[in-house]
Amino acid sequence: MLNLIKGALIGIALVIPGLSGSIFAVVVGLYDRLLAAVNHFREAPRTHLRLLVPVGLGAVLGILLSTKAILLVTASWPIPSYSFFIGLVLGIGPFIYRKITQVPFKGWYVLLTVLGFAAIYGLAKLGGEQPENLIAITRLNSLADAGTMTFAGVFAVALMAIPGISGSIMLMVIDQYGTVYNAVSAIGPTLRALLAGNWTAFQEQLMTVALLGPFMLGAIVGLLVIAKVMEMLLKRFEAQVYYAVIGIVLAAALILVETGLKPYWPASTGIGVILTVVAGVVLGVLATIFLDKPSEAATGV
């Protein structure tokens, strides 16, 4: 059940622009274990399925339940919700500290932090202004559409597997964020049309949902490739990777401030707004620390 909840948090993070599913996997203490499960699945499939199944189901539930709900919440109550998200991201601090203290500090490690920050912040800026409103492909009509969605899956998921990179932002960079989540949101209407026996509506919605097929195929390919790379890097240069993650986390927090707080900040700042932000950040940090504890006990991290 705990892994199901953690998976749901990862799924929610995948939906919200600026949040990173991989960072949330790190936040809840599952990133290393998920990499190992993906890369070494054939060695002990039953053991790895015990982790992958609940986390995978949770992620799917998180995506399906939050595709509209989370975006509605962030639109209706942006300041408290984004403050909470910022806290969730910043709460990874103690975890990163434990990782980077495994090796003596060297001055050039600061460059890794700067590069991590510049890469994520720069990629986020490439996404433009509110690209989530763009639905580039409304239905699967051709092989070209399938090829575009396959590439989107490879591009977004391969980069998303790197801690701190937002899959949503990567989809925005290639103008396919709206396409993917429009297809996800069409799953509900498709099922309702099927149950109601409305075949015309069912066929119409099904062609939109069908876009997820090639996208998921590309996502699997991208994940398998990058999982090997990340496992190798973490095995040989774990502390150095997390120095870069420091910059990634700071960039993610800044992106959330710019996209979720700044546009909605009132002209006259009152004590109530400040307290709301502080409370949201503190709750987010505490939630991250709480979610990290069970993994420490189980894995010895």
Side-chain angles (χ1 to χ4, degrees):
M1 182 59 69
L2 184 61
N3 283 337
L4 186 74
I5 294 172
K6 291 180 176 183
L9 285 174
I10 294 171
I12 291 172
L14 295 176
V15 175
I16 301 172
L19 290 188
S20 166
S22 52
I23 271 290
F24 267 59
V26 173
V27 163
V28 298
L30 290 179
Y31 185 77
D32 293 349
R33 295 171 61 195
L34 288 173
L35 280 183
V38 171
N39 287 326
H40 306 287
F41 181 79
R42 293 183 180 180
E43 299 172 12
R46 290 186 179 181
T47 300
H48 295 314
L49 282 174
R50 291 174 186 171
L51 173 67
L52 293 175
V53 169
V55 173
L57 287 176
V60 171
L61 287 174
I63 291 172
L64 292 177
L65 295 176
S66 65
T67 298
K68 290 184 177 179
I70 292 297
L71 296 179
L72 176 63
V73 168
T74 55
S76 301
W77 301 284
I79 291 180
S81 58
Y82 273 92
S83 297
F84 180 71
F85 297 147
I86 292 169
L88 287 175
V89 173
L90 294 179
I92 195 179
F95 176 87
I96 294 177
Y97 178 77
R98 294 196 299 272
K99 293 293 186 180
I100 64 175
T101 52
Q102 295 177 27
V103 297
F105 173 76
K106 294 182 180 179
W108 70 270
Y109 290 166
V110 176
L111 179 60
L112 295 175
T113 301
V114 173
L115 290 175
F117 180 92
I120 302 308
Y121 191 72
L123 286 172
K125 289 302 180 182
L126 286 177
E129 296 294 328
Q130 296 183 334
E132 64 269 21
N133 295 327
L134 173 65
I135 301 175
I137 305 174
T138 57
R139 49 187 288 137
L140 185 63
N141 290 319
S142 65
L143 286 176
D145 291 341
T148 298
M149 296 309 296
T150 302
F151 170 74
V154 172
F155 180 81
V157 176
L159 291 177
M160 182 189 69
I162 301 173
I165 293 185
S166 167
S168 294
I169 293 296
M170 294 304 98
L171 287 174
M172 289 177 182
V173 169
I174 57 176
D175 295 327
Q176 295 302 333
Y177 178 87
T179 299
V180 172
Y181 287 110
N182 180 60
V184 171
S185 65
I187 294 176
T190 302
L191 293 176
R192 288 194 294 270
L194 176 63
L195 294 175
N198 187 342
W199 301 113
T200 301
F202 171 73
Q203 292 174 1
E204 183 71 22
Q205 294 289 341
L206 185 62
M207 294 307 294
T208 299
V209 176
L211 290 167
L212 296 176
F215 177 80
M216 292 177 65
L217 176 63
I220 292 171
V221 172
L223 179 61
L224 291 176
V225 171
I226 198 64
K228 290 289 186 183
V229 174
M230 290 308 302
E231 184 181 48
M232 179 191 69
L233 288 175
L234 289 173
K235 185 176 294 184
R236 298 183 180 182
F237 310 105
E238 183 178 44
Q240 290 84 351
V241 167
Y242 281 99
Y243 269 103
V245 171
I246 293 174
I248 290 170
V249 167
L250 293 176
L254 180 57
I255 291 167
L256 290 173
V257 169
E258 292 184 345
T259 58
L261 295 185
K262 186 178 177 180
Y264 305 99
W265 198 263
S268 57
T269 304
I271 187 65
V273 176
I274 295 175
L275 289 177
T276 298
V277 172
V278 171
V281 171
V282 170
L283 287 174
V285 169
L286 292 177
T288 295
I289 293 174
F290 171 77
L291 288 168
D292 185 36
K293 284 183 178 179
S295 296
E296 292 177 16
T299 65
V301 174

